[in-house]
Structures are given as structure tokens and as C-alpha cells.
């Protein structure tokens, strides 16, 4: 029994020492290790080739690793990538993340674009918010060069296919015959121009002479214009001065006439307001008098002077005897 008890005691002491050694090792690792920060990146493009443990670099300097990759359930078009970077890495406002892959197939997460003197990227609180859906700071993404090329590869291949189809239609049998005809016509035109080379040279010479003659004519026209300007300055200028004097005299006469009309305006107003109505009344009275005189003359003509004194007698009526 004593031997068995000793074995149990020895085993317990060994286990305790191993546990203490493990705790001491972890403590040393924490003391000697670097503190890390976690960030989330939501990529809308494909992150094919990016895996857990992929390298994270800041301006080309290795700064951390990819911790987790998963589809974002609220929006399946997004891929959430969680990274761990050294605490000393300056992940400031303006920093962007991009997933880039090399031709060898190695993919990394690249960080760059931090603004000097800006505040670090963080969350307002530990609780989830629109800026930090999981309570972890979010680094905005930007399309990487090769990643963007891979993302746009289907569209690029579609455009290349369409271009190939159009080129095939353009270079069909019928169009090839047309192109051959155009080239043949071009050859004939070139040959005709070569045959007419001397005539073209003579035409160019004549054109040069015509241009020179046009220049001489332009110079003569300039001289004529200068002569005309001198003639206008010597002869037309005095005539224009006399015309200006006549215009000034006419203007003075018009001003005098305006003054006279202004002085006569009160009399004209009185004539139009008083004299003209009185003259109209006088003409009306004269018309009435003339009518009365015409009536008197008619009575004198028909009944004599007695017609003016009394009324005319009725004729006697004599009835027939039975």
C-alpha cells in the first residue's frame, strides 16, 4: 500500500509541475509576444485564392494574417474577411484594403492610403452599429489591380467575343470581295495620278502664279483704299462739316418753333374749350332762324300778307238740293 501511495503522490506532483510549466510558458509568450488588433473587411468582389493564414501587408510590409473568411449573411454579395494586424500598424482614417493575387496564385490583403495625422479607425462603442456591424472596426475595401481584372474577366471575355463576331462578319466573303474592289480602284487611281504627274505639276505652277497675281491685286487694292481715305479726308470732311452746321441751324429753328407753340398753347386750349362750343351754338341758332324764315316765306308765297295775320278760311260748303 505504501508503494502505491508513493506512486500516486509522485504522479500528482509531476502533473502539478507540468501545469505550472505550461502556465509559465503561456505567460512568457504573452510577455514576449506582440498585441494584435482585429479588423473586418467587406469585399464585394471575389476573393478567390485568399485563405485563412494569408498574409496581410501594410504598404508592402508584413503586418498580420487573415483570421477568418465567410459570406456575410445579411448580404450574400459581400465576403467578410477578418484580419489580425500588429498593434503598432498605423491603421488610420483613409486606409483601404484590397485583395491582390500574384501570377503564382498567392493572394494577400494589402493595406494602404492612411492619412497622416488622422485618427485611428475604430468603433464608437463595443456594441454593434451600422459602421461596425459586429463591434469590430471596419476597413473600407477598394478593388485590387489583379483582383479587379479577375472580377471583370467575364465582361472582358464577352466584349472580346462580340468583337471577334463583328470582325468575322466584316471579313466575310462578300465584304472581302468589296475590299478587294476598293483596293483595285485605289491602285488604278494611283496609276492614273502617276500618269498625270506632269499635268498636275503644270497645274500647280499655274496655281502658284495665280496666287502671286492675287497678292499683287490685293496690294493694289490696299493702295487704292489708302488713296480713297485721303480723298475722303481732304474733300468730304468739309462737306460733312457744312452739313453738321445746317443740321444745327435746323435744330435751333425747331427749338424756336417749339417755344412758339408752347407760348400759344394756353390760347389754343381756350379756343378749343370756349370759342369752338360758342361757335357751334351760333351755327345751330342760325340754322333754326333760317328754318323759321323759310317757313315765313312759304306762307307769304301761298297766302299773302294775310297768312301772317290769321289762319286761312275754310271753303264754303254748299250741299245739293233734293
Amino acid at each position: 500500500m505504501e508503494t502505491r501511495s508513493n506512486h500516486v503522490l509522485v504522479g500528482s506532483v509531476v502533473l502539478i509541475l507540468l501545469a505550472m510549466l505550461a502556465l509559465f510558458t503561456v505567460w512568457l509568450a504573452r510577455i514576449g509576444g506582440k498585441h494584435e488588433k482585429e479588423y473586418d473587411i467587406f469585399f464585394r468582389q471575389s476573393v478567390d485564392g485568399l485563405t485563412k493564414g494569408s498574409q496581410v501587408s501594410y504598404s508592402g510590409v508584413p503586418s498580420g494574417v487573415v483570421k477568418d473568411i465567410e459570406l456575410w449573411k445579411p448580404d450574400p454579395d459581400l465576403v467578410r474577411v477578418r484580419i489580425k494586424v500588429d498593434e503598432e500598424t498605423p491603421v488610420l482614417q483613409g486606409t483601404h484594403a484590397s485583395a491582390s493575387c500574384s501570377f503564382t496564385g498567392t493572394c494577400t490583403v494589402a493595406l494602404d492610403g492612411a492619412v497622416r495625422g488622422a485618427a485611428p479607425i475604430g468603433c464608437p462603442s463595443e456594441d454593434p452599429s451600422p459602421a461596425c456591424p459586429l463591434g469590430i472596426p471596419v476597413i473600407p475595401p477598394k478593388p485590387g489591380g489583379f483582383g479587379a481584372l479577375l472580377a471583370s474577366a467575364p465582361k472582358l471575355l464577352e466584349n472580346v467575343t462580340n468583337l471577334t463576331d463583328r470582325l468575322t462578319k466584316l471579313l466575310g466573303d462578300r465584304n472581302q470581295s468589296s475590299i478587294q474592289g476598293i483596293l483595285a480602284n485605289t491602285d488604278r487611281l494611283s496609276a492614273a495620278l502617276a500618269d498625270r504627274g506632269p499635268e498636275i505639276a503644270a497645274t500647280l505652277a499655274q496655281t502658284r502664279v495665280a496666287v502671286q497675281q492675287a497678292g499683287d491685286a490685293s496690294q493694289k487694292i490696299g493702295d487704292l483704299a489708302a488713296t480713297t481715305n485721303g480723298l475722303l479726308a481732304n474733300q468730304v470732311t468739309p462737306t460733312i462739316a457744312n452739313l453738321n452746321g445746317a443740321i444745327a441751324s435746323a435744330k435751333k429753328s425747331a427749338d424756336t418753333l417749339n417755344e412758339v407753340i408752347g407760348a400759344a398753347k394756353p390760347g389754343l386750349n381756350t379756343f378749343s374749350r370756349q370759342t369752338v362750343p360758342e361757335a357751334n351754338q351760333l351755327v345751330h341758332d342760325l340754322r333754326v332762324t333760317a328754318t323759321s324764315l323759310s317757313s315765313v316765306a312759304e306762307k307769304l308765297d301761298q297766302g299773302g300778307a294775310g297768312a301772317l295775320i290769321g289762319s286761312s278760311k275754310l271753303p264754303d260748303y254748299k250741299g245739293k238740293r233734293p
Side-chain angles (χ1 to χ4, degrees):
M1 291 294 294
E2 292 180 358
T3 303
R4 185 175 180 182
S5 299
N6 291 332
H7 289 170
V8 171
L9 180 62
V10 172
S12 300
V13 172
V14 171
L15 290 175
I16 292 172
L17 290 176
L18 290 174
M20 292 178 64
L21 180 61
L23 292 175
F24 180 73
T25 303
V26 171
W27 180 70
L28 288 178
R30 288 185 176 180
I31 292 177
K34 295 182 180 179
H35 295 286
E36 296 177 335
K37 288 185 177 181
E38 294 185 353
Y39 297 91
D40 280 339
I41 307 169
F42 293 90
F43 289 104
R44 190 169 295 275
Q45 67 185 45
S46 175
V47 292
D48 187 20
L50 199 65
T51 60
K52 294 181 181 180
S54 296
Q55 183 179 352
V56 177
S57 61
Y58 188 93
S59 297
V61 179
S63 303
V65 295
V66 175
K67 180 181 179 182
D68 190 16
I69 300 177
E70 66 177 3
L71 292 175
W72 181 239
K73 294 181 180 179
D75 188 356
D77 291 337
L78 297 177
V79 179
R80 184 183 67 83
V81 177
R82 179 164 293 182
I83 62 174
K84 294 190 302 182
V85 298
D86 298 337
E87 186 178 11
E88 298 178 355
T89 302
V91 183
L92 308 178
Q93 295 292 336
T95 302
H96 292 82
S98 60
S100 58
C101 299
S102 63
F103 289 99
T104 60
T106 304
C107 295
T108 61
V109 176
L111 305 178
D112 58 3
V115 179
R116 181 178 180 182
I121 293 178
C123 293
S125 63
E126 295 182 357
D127 299 329
S129 62
C132 303
L134 299 177
I136 301 296
V138 177
I139 299 175
K142 71 175 181 179
F146 192 71
L149 180 61
L150 293 177
S152 61
K155 185 66 175 178
L156 180 60
L157 291 176
E158 182 180 358
N159 293 335
V160 171
T161 303
N162 293 333
L163 180 60
T164 304
D165 293 339
R166 293 183 180 181
L167 288 175
T168 303
K169 294 178 181 179
L170 179 62
L171 299 178
D173 296 337
R174 183 176 179 181
N175 291 336
Q176 285 182 3
S177 300
S178 300
I179 294 173
Q180 290 177 358
I182 293 172
L183 294 176
N185 293 331
T186 303
D187 291 338
R188 285 195 295 269
L189 178 60
S190 301
L193 290 176
D195 294 338
R196 296 297 181 89
E199 297 180 2
I200 295 174
T203 303
L204 291 176
Q206 293 177 1
T207 303
R208 189 179 299 108
V209 173
V211 170
Q212 184 177 0
Q213 292 176 355
D216 296 339
S218 299
Q219 184 177 1
K220 292 180 180 179
I221 291 173
D223 297 338
L224 179 60
T227 304
T228 304
N229 291 332
L231 180 62
L232 291 174
N234 296 329
Q235 297 183 6
V236 178
T237 302
T239 304
I240 293 175
N242 295 332
L243 181 59
N244 291 332
I247 293 172
S249 300
K251 183 178 180 181
K252 185 175 180 181
S253 301
D255 293 338
T256 304
L257 181 59
N258 290 331
E259 293 177 358
V260 172
I261 292 173
K265 189 174 182 180
L268 293 174
N269 291 333
T270 303
F271 178 77
S272 61
R273 292 179 182 178
Q274 297 180 5
T275 306
V276 172
E278 291 177 358
N280 290 333
Q281 183 64 34
L282 177 61
V283 171
H284 181 267
D285 294 342
L286 290 175
R287 288 180 180 176
V288 173
T289 303
T291 303
S292 301
L293 291 176
S294 297
S295 177
V296 171
E298 185 178 357
K299 288 181 179 182
L300 287 175
D301 187 24
Q302 293 179 359
L308 297 176
I309 299 174
S311 60
S312 58
K313 294 182 180 181
L314 295 175
D316 295 336
Y317 175 76
K318 295 180 181 181
K320 292 183 181 181
R321 294 182 180 180

